[in-house]
Amino acid sequence: MGETSTKPYLIRALHEWCTDNGYTPYITVQVDEHTMVPVAHVRDGQITLNVGTLATNRLVLGNEFIEFQARFSGVTENVYVPVGAVSAIYARETGAGMGFEVQPYEPPEAGAQGATAPAAPEGSDADAPSGDDGGDDEPKRPRLTIVK
């Protein structure tokens, strides 16, 4: 991989903005085989998660993954979400936030991360690491919107 995406930085910034203003930060996640979330709470392939400091334990808003523990229906669950699967972060109280394009997760080579190791390659896009930055027809631009 070349440079790090701006997406994790924007997620962290909006999380901090929500927290500083007394709002509850929520993320919406497109669930696939690389997300570890309580399946009972998934609706139409998506889950909305409260990532506020009061609702989470050991929250890590990393560059590749968002991970934390939270209680769902009284049961503590581990949540592990690729940053690429996040489609929005917003303040529950106001709806102000940002939407993102969902990017499929491409696991690192053979030596993997725990439960999601044996992933089947879904296309030949992974073979061109330098092509990610938009050398094709048109430059890749983020599709950012205000979530209301």
Side-chain angles (χ1 to χ4, degrees):
M1 294 198 106
E3 64 185 51
T4 305
S5 166
T6 56
K7 187 173 183 178
Y9 296 90
L10 293 169
I11 290 171
R12 286 191 291 269
L14 284 164
H15 184 276
E16 183 179 343
W17 174 81
C18 285
T19 303
D20 287 353
N21 286 285
Y23 298 140
T24 310
Y26 273 38
I27 60 172
T28 303
V29 175
Q30 190 69 40
V31 176
D32 67 11
E33 68 273 13
H34 301 292
T35 55
M36 191 168 79
V37 296
V39 216
H41 299 274
V42 175
R43 299 284 177 264
D44 299 321
Q46 294 191 344
I47 188 168
T48 299
L49 300 164
N50 178 342
V51 289
T53 52
L54 297 176
T56 59
N57 183 34
R58 299 199 317 231
L59 175 67
V60 177
L61 298 172
N63 287 345
E64 301 275 332
F65 288 92
I66 294 172
E67 47 189 314
F68 58 92
Q69 290 180 327
R71 294 177 72 78
F72 295 85
S73 305
V75 178
T76 299
E77 303 262 6
N78 292 312
V79 177
Y80 192 72
V81 172
V83 166
V86 176
S87 60
I89 180 167
Y90 62 95
R92 183 192 69 196
E93 294 80 359
T94 65
M98 187 174 283
F100 302 100
E101 188 172 351
V102 173
Q103 302 127 340
Y105 176 69
E106 295 175 14
E109 291 131 38
Q113 304 214 354
T116 60
E122 293 182 21
S124 58
D125 294 0
D127 298 324
S130 61
D132 290 344
D133 297 319
D136 304 71
D137 309 278
E138 58 185 65
K140 300 221 177 189
R141 297 175 191 228
R143 296 180 189 161
L144 306 177
T145 58
I146 299 297
V147 179
K148 294 202 179 197

